[in-house]
Amino acid sequence: MEHSEMLRQVAQAVLDMDVEQVAALTDDCLAAGLPPARILAEGLSAGMRTVGEKFKQGEVYMPEVLVSCDVYYKGLEKLKPLIQSGSGRGQRGKMILGTIYGDIHTVGKDVAVPVFEAAGYEVVDLGVDVADGQIVEAIREHAPDIVGLGTYMTSTFMHTRETVRQIEAAGLRSQVKIICGGPAVDAGAARRMGADDASDDAWEAVARLDRLMDELKKEGRA
Ligand code: B12
C-alpha cells in the first residue's frame, strides 16, 4: 500500500473514533518504515485537526471530540517514546509548556506538545492549572528559550498579564520568549499583556516558535 494511503487511514481512524484500529494502523506505518514524526503529523494530528475543524463548524459535538482524542492518545502512546528519543530532539530550542493557572483543559496542550517535539523542540510539559510560581521555578530549573502558556478560556488568557508580571518580578523576563496558545487567543492582545506571540493552531505555531528563536539569537540570548 502507498505510504500516503496508510497515513490517510490513520487520520481516518481518528475521525471515525476507531480506537480498535488506530494502534494496528500506527504499527503498520512503523513497520513500513515511515518516520514517527511523519505518522504523527500526517496521520494522527491530521485526523485531530479535521476533528477540530468539524467541531468549529458544528458538524461534530464535544463527546465525539473527546472520543477522537482518546483514539489520538492511543496512537500517540506508540509514537511519543520514539519521537522523544529521536536524534532531532531539542535541535531547534527548548520550551516549557503548561496550562495556565485556573485552566484545566488538557487536550489542546496534549496535541500541541508532540507537534512541537516532532518539529525539533525539546518540550518540558508542566501539566495543567500551573500556578505562576511554578512557571517561575520551571524557568529557573530548565532554562528554556520559550515559555508556552496554554490558555483555553478568555478569563485564563487574560491571566497572561499576571503570569508575565511574576516572571518579570523574578528577573527572568529577558531570558525567555513567551507564547500563548488556545482557541481564545489573539497575538495583539497577548503582546499588550506582555507576552511575545500567540497562536490557535499548533502547526502554524511552529513557524512562530522559529521566529521567536531567531529573535533570541539576534538579541544574543540563544
Ligand atoms: C473539551 C472541552 C472541555 C473539557 C476539557 C476536557 C479536557 N480534558 O481537556 C471540559 C468538559 C472539562 C471543559 C470544561 C470547561 N470548559 Co471547556 N471546552 C472544551 C472544548 C469543547 C474543546 C477544547 C478542545 O479540546 N479543543 C481541541 C484542541 C485540539 O484545540 P485547542 O485547545 O484550541 O488546541 C489547539 C491550539 O489552540 C493549539 N494550542 C494548544 N495549546 C497550545 C499552547 C501553545 C503554547 C501554543 C503555541 C499552541 C497551543 O494547538 C492545538 C492544535 O492546533 C472547547 C470549545 C472550543 N471551541 O475549543 C470548550 C471551551 C474551551 N470551554 C469553555 C468553558 C467556558 C469551560 C468551562 C468553564 C465550562 C463550565 N462552565 O464548567 C470549564 C472550565 C474548567 C476550567 N477551570 O478550566 C469555553 C471557553 C469560553 C471562553 N472563551 O472563555 C469553550 C471555548 C466552549 C465555549 N464556546 O463556551 N471543557
Side-chain angles (χ1 to χ4, degrees), residues 14-143:
V14 176
L15 262 172
D16 291 345
M17 299 175 278
D18 195 344
V19 77
E20 303 291 319
Q21 281 299 313
V22 74
L25 290 168
T26 305
D27 279 340
D28 289 348
C29 290
L30 287 169
L34 279 158
R38 188 164 168 216
I39 306 170
L40 174 67
E42 295 175 37
L44 294 174
S45 297
M48 207 53 225
R49 192 176 203 175
T50 310
V51 171
E53 280 158 13
K54 285 186 179 288
F55 179 80
K56 274 187 200 153
Q57 305 302 322
E59 290 172 35
V60 300
Y61 296 97
M62 194 159 95
E64 295 163 300
V65 174
L66 294 177
V67 179
S68 283
C69 281
D70 286 344
V71 179
Y72 174 87
Y73 284 135
K74 190 96 190 161
L76 184 63
E77 252 171 45
K78 292 197 168 280
L79 299 177
K80 204 161 178 179
L82 301 172
I83 288 169
Q84 286 180 334
S85 63
S87 58
R89 189 180 186 224
Q91 227 171 30
R92 293 213 211 172
K94 185 172 182 182
M95 277 185 94
I96 58 169
L97 199 157
T99 300
I100 206 164
Y101 176 65
D103 202 320
I104 59 156
H105 293 89
T106 50
V107 176
K109 172 181 74 59
D110 292 336
V111 172
V113 168
V115 170
F116 299 158
E117 286 178 337
Y121 284 87
E122 180 184 349
V123 186
V124 180
D125 185 344
L126 303 178
V128 292
D129 190 13
V130 185
D132 299 326
Q134 277 173 268
I135 291 178
V136 167
E137 277 315 305
I139 298 173
R140 289 206 180 99
E141 185 185 342
H142 301 287

